[in-house]
Amino acid sequence: MIRLNHVSKIYHMGGEDIYALREASLRVRKGEFVSIVGPSGSGKSTMMNIIGCLDNSDEGEYLLDGESITNYSEKELAKVRNRKIGFVFQNFNLIPKMTAAQNVELPLIYQKLPSHERAERVKWALEQVKLYERREHLPAELSGGQQQRVAIARALAARPSLFLADEPTGALDSKTSREIMGIFKDLHEQGNTIVIITHDENVADEAERKIRIRDGQVSEVVES
């Protein structure tokens, strides 16, 4: 599903070339649950932006579902994001003035789905994360864990081929973090492809496969 071949991202600063990623290669197969783990400044965010079609690489090739998107325009990248990728962010990225249901529905409006189908998907997605009874609540009326559940439901409702989670437990306490990781495990058992970007080794260990990134370089973690 995901294939990065010798991908580099280079920033030009003060007459110098700074490699955020240096010839990074990785593979994620359909249905896998993979974590990409590394410290701050390791290149995790750059990796996420490229995998999530939020940015292009400067060198190498990126294939998503067998489709090379290395040279896509911003408009083309936006279409891929909307169609194939469900994002879950550390800070939830919910719209404060919208209810939980309205936040979940928003990407479906962008997909131009009819209202009856949007309503069915919103109900189903919120039921999956056990929050349908809180559908009329605003984000400020929900706990951090509940807000992250809404964010997961929003990703679910769009029926993406890939769930991409960036530090999904970073703003949560340990108990709530375990609950959120439990949801990701359930999604994986249902056949979904999940990639989690994290600095937390405990979170990374929850995945079935762990990839380490440091100084822009990627290596597979092989357990002894």
Side-chain angles (χ1 to χ4, degrees):
M1 168 173 273
I2 293 172
R3 179 174 295 203
L4 268 63
N5 294 324
H6 307 291
V7 164
S8 295
K9 184 67 179 179
I10 309 162
Y11 295 99
H12 307 288
M13 301 174 65
E16 229 184 312
D17 288 344
I18 307 297
Y19 280 78
L21 285 180
R22 186 185 292 271
E23 296 193 6
S25 296
L26 65 83
R27 308 284 185 273
V28 177
R29 293 180 294 276
K30 184 176 174 59
E32 275 198 296
F33 183 5
V34 174
S35 63
I36 299 175
V37 61
S40 177
S42 61
K44 293 194 310 297
S45 295
T46 303
M47 176 75 77
M48 188 210 74
N49 288 342
I50 291 173
I51 292 174
C53 299
L54 295 166
D55 198 1
N56 275 319
S57 62
D58 294 312
E59 297 174 353
E61 184 179 35
Y62 174 31
L63 293 95
L64 178 61
D65 287 335
E67 179 181 5
S68 178
I69 58 175
T70 303
N71 298 314
Y72 271 24
S73 67
E74 176 50 41
K75 187 175 181 180
E76 290 170 325
L77 289 174
K79 285 182 180 178
V80 174
R81 289 196 300 269
N82 195 36
R83 190 172 72 248
K84 293 189 173 185
I85 303 171
F87 291 96
V88 180
F89 295 100
Q90 176 176 346
N91 294 320
F92 323 131
N93 284 16
L94 302 178
I95 297 176
K97 293 184 179 180
M98 286 187 169
T99 65
Q102 289 169 334
N103 269 284
V104 174
E105 184 184 23
L106 191 58
L108 307 181
I109 294 173
Y110 293 147
Q111 289 183 1
K112 299 181 180 179
L113 296 181
S115 59
H116 69 276
E117 185 174 351
R118 296 201 306 266
E120 289 172 2
R121 287 207 199 181
V122 168
K123 183 175 186 293
W124 171 80
L126 285 170
E127 285 176 343
Q128 294 299 301
V129 298
K130 299 179 173 59
L131 267 188
Y132 186 66
E133 73 283 358
R134 306 298 296 273
R135 62 191 179 278
E136 297 302 324
H137 287 67
L138 297 171
E141 299 169 325
L142 302 172
S143 69
Q146 289 170 335
Q147 290 184 62
Q148 193 61 292
R149 285 171 184 261
V150 172
I152 293 171
R154 179 179 57 194
L156 260 175
R159 296 182 181 170
S161 57
L162 168 66
F163 286 88
L164 183 58
D166 181 25
E167 300 283 6
T169 63
L172 306 174
D173 60 49
S174 57
K175 178 177 180 294
T176 308
S177 295
R178 288 192 295 272
E179 292 172 355
I180 294 301
M181 291 307 298
I183 292 175
F184 281 117
K185 285 185 175 181
D186 290 342
L187 291 174
H188 173 236
E189 288 173 4
Q190 293 167 23
N192 292 289
T193 307
I194 299 169
V195 175
I196 288 182
I197 314 288
T198 184
H199 72 280
D200 188 326
E201 293 285 349
N202 292 325
V203 169
D205 287 341
E206 297 289 332
E208 63 178 358
R209 188 159 68 90
K210 187 161 63 171
I211 294 168
R212 190 171 301 284
I213 183 167
R214 182 178 292 275
D215 297 329
Q217 296 182 304
V218 171
S219 60
E220 184 86 16
V221 176
V222 180
E223 304 294 349
S224 57

